[in-house]
Amino acid sequence: MAFGITSKIVLSEITRYVFNGTSIGIWLKLTTELVRINYFSTVLKRLFSLTMDMCRNSRNRKDLNMSSLFGAFVLLCLLFYSGQLAAQHDTLWVKNGNVLYGEIKDLTSGVLTMETPYSDDDFTIDYDEAIKMVIERRCLIILVGGERLFGFVRSQEDGKVTIYSTEGKLEGLDLDRITTIQVIKKKWINRISGYIDIGFNLTKANNQRQLNIDGGVSYTGYKWFMNTKISSLFANQDDVDLTERTSLDAQINRLISDKWYILASGSFLSNTEQDLQGRISGKLGAGRFLAINDKLLWGLGTGLNYNIENYDDSSLNKESTELFISSRFNMFDFKDLSLDTNIDFYPSLSERGRVRVDYNLNVKYDLPYDFYIKTSFQFNYDNQPPETASEFDYILTSGFGWSFN
């Protein structure tokens, strides 16, 4: 027997087989077909009506058998199950003929991740295997060359998609031109992600102890992006003063085109090695993505930076203005390995000959259940430090952490 894929055919099949005493095996086939198709939102009210009619008529029908009662039970179950599927209505067609229904979560590094209601674990599908897709939620879509679109994705034919974006409708786009898909969640709270990691070292010699804690929170919207991170290190050993270092950074970016953006940021750094009690900085500038695809991001930025610096010797406290030139390079999801590095040059505009450099490198390896291990390297240079302080400081740390959302 063949089952149709339209709501009218499904309803006629239900009506006929419920009241004709269909075998339980046929009911199981019908249930499977209902799960496979994507018409629950249309069928829901009619299913409820049919089920109530069956319950009322059962008192007057002598030929109602166990199979029909089982059918009524199936319909009631589908009423509850359909509510879940209605919220998970993305569709993916693959080359082997399978059709998957659920929520497409993202496309990164040539791999589609999809959550389905009939599996506890997310599916990961090689993007080359996809032939059609429908995404009913608004997405950030990045094309080859870095063009960015925000909208919905629908396929009318194999190998092609139509993107309904804020700039209009883009039809007949080849699937292989899409390098990244990131679903933008409706609630702002769901657009927030973060991480925290910790590392601890203990050495018997000199009773040396070191604790490092890192954490961060980021927000991804349609045009706005926010990122904050904090890093602290405490090291102590016998007969040596406590070493402390704390850095805090917060940055907001606003896209003004596919590759250009404006930025504003604030930062704080305290460092005993450089006799720095605290440096508060504020930046305003602009930047451009030089390369962006499904595996890497490289961008340059420039602008002005204003410092308020407090040292252990209060007579050295000062304020200064600098030009900043920054570069960031990010490689992500290379089989669970990611690398993020950035360097900032600060030639001073208010102090003759002063130059500062900040450099950061993070290498992370993803583990199951959103855990990871990470190694970090930070370097700070100032060619005009206080007389008692060092020109540069660096730290190398490793830790174990967890990321969310």
Side-chain angles (χ1 to χ4, degrees):
M1 148 185 151
F3 290 96
I5 62 170
T6 65
S7 57
K8 290 184 179 179
I9 295 177
V10 170
L11 288 173
S12 67
E13 297 286 357
I14 291 174
T15 306
R16 183 157 62 93
Y17 290 106
V18 165
F19 294 107
N20 289 340
T22 304
S23 69
I24 290 177
I26 296 297
W27 266 111
L28 291 175
K29 290 182 180 179
L30 180 59
T31 303
T32 301
E33 178 67 13
L34 286 171
V35 171
R36 189 183 71 80
I37 66 172
N38 198 25
Y39 285 94
F40 283 101
S41 59
T42 305
V43 177
L44 181 57
K45 292 183 181 179
R46 183 61 178 148
L47 284 177
F48 180 78
S49 176
L50 283 171
T51 306
M52 293 299 100
D53 288 343
M54 287 179 58
C55 293
R56 286 193 294 268
N57 294 337
S58 63
R59 299 177 180 177
N60 302 321
R61 289 184 58 91
K62 296 180 180 181
D63 58 342
L64 193 68
N65 56 24
M66 282 297 296
S67 178
S68 295
L69 293 176
F70 177 75
F73 172 75
V74 169
L75 291 178
L76 286 171
C77 291
L78 288 173
L79 289 176
F80 294 99
Y81 190 63
S82 63
Q84 181 182 9
L85 289 182
Q88 297 178 324
H89 41 49
D90 298 338
T91 312
L92 178 68
W93 290 260
V94 293
K95 291 179 180 178
N96 64 7
N98 289 338
V99 182
L100 301 176
Y101 300 94
E103 289 187 0
I104 294 176
K105 300 175 74 172
D106 60 49
L107 165 63
T108 305
S109 296
V111 176
L112 269 169
T113 302
M114 188 171 190
E115 179 183 356
T116 63
Y118 38 83
S119 175
D120 293 333
D121 299 321
D122 292 343
F123 283 99
T124 55
I125 304 105
D126 190 334
Y127 186 56
D128 291 337
E129 296 298 313
I131 57 174
K132 292 171 62 178
M133 71 172 72
V134 173
I135 305 178
E136 298 289 354
R137 292 156 299 146
R138 203 173 185 188
C139 306
L140 165 63
I141 304 150
I142 302 178
L143 306 182
V144 174
E147 183 179 357
R148 304 164 72 93
L149 300 171
F150 296 92
F152 308 93
V153 179
R154 295 189 179 96
S155 292
Q156 281 80 36
E157 59 179 298
D158 291 355
K160 302 285 186 179
V161 293
T162 297
I163 298 177
Y164 298 84
S165 70
T166 53
E167 289 78 22
K169 184 168 66 171
L170 181 60
E171 296 184 281
L173 182 70
D174 291 336
L175 268 176
D176 57 12
R177 286 197 60 200
I178 299 176
T179 63
T180 301
I181 296 175
Q182 184 177 358
V183 174
I184 304 296
K185 298 177 182 178
K186 290 184 178 180
K187 296 183 178 179
W188 69 268
I189 191 75
N190 294 329
R191 301 176 189 171
I192 295 176
S193 60
Y195 68 92
I196 184 170
D197 55 73
I198 186 170
F200 181 75
N201 296 319
L202 176 63
T203 304
K204 181 180 179 181
N206 299 323
N207 194 27
Q208 183 176 353
R209 302 172 302 279
Q210 177 178 300
L211 173 68
N212 58 276
I213 302 173
D214 292 343
V217 176
S218 61
Y219 169 87
T220 301
Y222 299 121
K223 296 287 187 179
W224 292 92
F225 303 90
M226 182 272 291
N227 182 61
T228 63
K229 58 183 179 180
I230 185 171
S231 175
S232 292
L233 178 141
F234 307 92
N236 196 12
Q237 65 183 29
D238 293 344
D239 302 323
V240 176
D241 291 337
L242 176 67
T243 299
E244 296 182 55
R245 175 194 170 92
T246 299
S247 63
L248 172 65
D249 294 280
Q251 180 166 309
I252 298 176
N253 294 348
R254 173 61 162 87
L255 287 173
I256 55 177
S257 69
D258 292 337
K259 294 187 176 183
W260 288 94
Y261 59 89
I262 55 176
L263 65 89
S265 72
S267 64
F268 171 82
L269 174 67
S270 66
N271 188 345
T272 56
E273 180 67 16
Q274 294 181 307
D275 292 346
L276 183 63
Q277 289 188 355
R279 176 189 293 128
I280 300 173
S281 303
K283 292 180 184 177
L284 285 174
R288 187 180 191 276
F289 295 115
L290 301 181
I292 182 170
N293 56 42
D294 62 326
K295 291 189 177 183
L296 63 87
L297 177 150
W298 179 32
L300 291 176
T302 188
L304 294 178
N305 181 56
Y306 182 75
N307 292 320
I308 301 174
E309 296 173 302
N310 295 312
Y311 292 92
D312 292 341
D313 182 353
S314 59
S315 65
L316 299 176
N317 294 351
K318 56 187 173 183
E319 300 178 9
S320 60
T321 303
E322 301 168 320
L323 176 71
F324 78 84
I325 303 169
S326 63
S327 177
R328 180 183 179 186
F329 183 76
N330 188 356
M331 298 190 333
F332 38 85
D333 292 329
F334 279 80
K335 294 185 177 179
D336 298 324
L337 186 68
S338 60
L339 180 149
D340 185 12
T341 183
N342 66 277
I343 187 167
D344 298 293
F345 295 92
Y346 297 97
S348 180
L349 299 177
S350 58
E351 297 177 279
R352 181 185 295 271
R354 187 185 183 190
V355 177
R356 296 191 305 109
V357 179
D358 292 336
Y359 176 73
N360 293 278
L361 171 67
N362 296 293
V363 180
K364 186 176 74 169
Y365 183 80
D366 292 329
L367 301 173
Y369 303 107
D370 296 323
F371 291 101
Y372 62 87
I373 54 177
K374 186 178 78 171
T375 298
S376 298
F377 176 74
Q378 298 181 43
F379 175 84
N380 300 100
Y381 171 78
D382 185 347
N383 70 341
Q384 295 182 7
E387 292 183 0
T388 58
S390 172
E391 286 190 351
F392 65 91
D393 181 40
Y394 65 89
I395 58 171
L396 178 64
T397 61
S398 60
F400 176 80
W402 174 73
S403 59
F404 63 89
N405 201 13

